[in-house]
Amino acid sequence: MAIDGFISSAVIDQLSNVLASLSPEDRKKEVSRVKAVYAFEVSNAQGKKHYFVVDLKQGGKVTDAATEEEAAKGQPKPDISIAVNDETLLKIADGKTTAAGEFMSGKVKIKGNMMLGMKLEPLLKRFKKLGEGIPAAAPAPAPASTGSSSSNASPAQNIVVKGYQGSLVIDQILKAFSADDVKREAALKKTNAIFQIDLAGPDGTKSWVLNLKPGASAADVVLPGTAAQNKKAAGVTLILKDADFVDLASGKLTGQGAFMGGKLKSKGNIMLALKLESVLKATKGPGARL
């Protein structure tokens, strides 16, 4: 359910995954605990909207769509409707702010049962904790070798990592660079650098390689793991917290500001960080193209 351009969709996705993983008996217990249907209207930085309906009253189901009507299909009538921007919902889920505080500041608008809005943080916190107990899905078995290889074959990649919102940003970069071969090569020539991104999150540090050198194929532009693991030579390794990388991608934080404020550490050519900011800006938002 992770939606391109909506970093907070990972929050709803986790909630949906938890409900799906529960036994019918445990799901019934969670539903009886909450007894409410939440509807969310989420707006992102590009002015796009996406809608989610979370049924914690009857069936324990989550639906989403680009329109309010489609998202509500097959769902009970919402007890509360929450209009919120993408970044604010993520901050509420991460415990960095409260629904009550954001409501008072005008960043959250609520229709319906106001008290349910005040219960949003403990609700998200509980499902986040439940989600941490869900074992990761086993990787799909590799296909049998046919004795031949193709330079266009895509390796088994796990770009999006549960609990790391920055991985959605990196996945967006992959999608943008995979859209058009000619434009990709032009952008690669302009950037001409290999970055290693180290993000500190709930399960320690996770790494990705942005192979933005001329000649890189769509399957080789973004790679999970370190540069050494992928046999690449990174021009710079950027080390920062997952949340700070999301802020950097959204434009809330600049590379220079992050570096001066101690939020960004680097190994290698720090000036390449300026090029990364340009890449993040160019690939920002759903359906972004180079």
Side-chain angles (χ1 to χ4, degrees):
M1 190 177 286
I3 312 300
D4 286 350
F6 290 83
I7 55 176
S8 66
S9 63
V11 175
I12 308 296
D13 186 48
Q14 183 180 54
L15 197 156
S16 179
N17 289 338
V18 169
L19 288 172
S21 72
L22 296 175
S23 66
E25 293 77 14
D26 287 339
R27 189 180 305 115
K28 186 176 181 180
K29 288 180 182 178
E30 288 301 323
V31 167
S32 64
R33 179 193 299 271
V34 182
K35 296 180 181 178
V37 179
Y38 284 80
F40 295 90
E41 177 189 283
V42 182
S43 303
N44 70 6
Q46 290 72 44
K48 301 283 187 179
K49 291 184 179 182
H50 203 83
Y51 299 83
F52 304 87
V53 177
V54 181
D55 170 20
L56 294 173
K57 190 175 188 178
Q58 296 183 16
K61 183 175 67 171
V62 179
T63 54
D64 77 288
T67 66
E68 186 175 11
E69 293 76 14
E70 286 296 318
K73 282 187 177 179
Q75 290 279 48
K77 182 179 179 181
D79 296 288
I80 179 173
S81 295
I82 300 174
V84 59
N85 69 55
D86 196 29
E87 185 178 338
T88 298
L89 179 56
L90 184 61
K91 286 183 177 180
I92 292 173
D94 286 343
K96 295 180 178 179
T97 187
T98 66
E102 298 300 338
F103 175 76
M104 295 300 292
S105 69
K107 292 184 178 180
V108 170
K109 296 181 180 179
I110 295 176
K111 293 181 181 179
N113 189 332
M114 184 70 70
M115 292 307 297
L116 291 175
M118 303 305 105
K119 295 179 180 179
L120 182 60
E121 298 101 274
L123 170 66
L124 295 176
K125 183 177 180 180
R126 173 171 176 76
F127 273 87
K128 183 177 182 179
K129 185 176 181 179
L130 289 172
E132 292 171 353
I134 299 176
S145 174
T146 60
S148 63
S149 62
S150 169
S151 60
N152 293 324
S154 176
Q157 298 186 40
N158 296 308
I159 302 301
V160 177
V161 178
K162 184 177 179 180
Y164 291 75
Q165 308 300 328
S167 68
L168 295 175
V169 176
I170 294 171
D171 187 54
Q172 181 63 36
I173 293 173
L174 172 61
K175 290 175 180 176
F177 273 89
S178 300
D180 185 295
D181 290 346
V182 174
K183 290 184 178 180
R184 177 178 66 253
E185 186 61 18
L188 293 175
K189 288 180 179 179
K190 183 177 181 180
T191 306
N192 192 25
I194 297 178
F195 304 85
Q196 178 175 313
I197 311 295
D198 290 349
L199 301 183
D203 295 320
T205 299
K206 302 293 183 183
S207 301
W208 293 263
V209 173
L210 304 184
N211 179 26
L212 307 183
K213 282 271 193 176
S217 68
D220 199 40
V221 166
V222 178
L223 302 166
T226 66
Q229 289 170 336
N230 287 285
K231 298 181 180 179
K232 304 290 183 184
V236 64
T237 296
L238 301 176
I239 307 161
L240 65 167
K241 292 180 180 179
D242 180 54
D244 290 335
F245 182 71
V246 172
D247 286 345
L248 184 64
S250 68
K252 184 177 179 180
L253 183 67
T254 65
Q256 182 178 1
F259 183 74
M260 296 299 291
K263 294 183 177 181
L264 171 64
K265 296 180 181 180
S266 68
K267 296 178 182 179
N269 187 350
I270 186 59
M271 294 307 295
L272 290 178
L274 299 178
K275 288 190 174 183
L276 180 60
E277 282 190 85
S278 298
V279 171
L280 292 172
K281 184 177 181 180
T283 58
K284 186 178 177 181
R289 296 292 182 267
L290 298 170

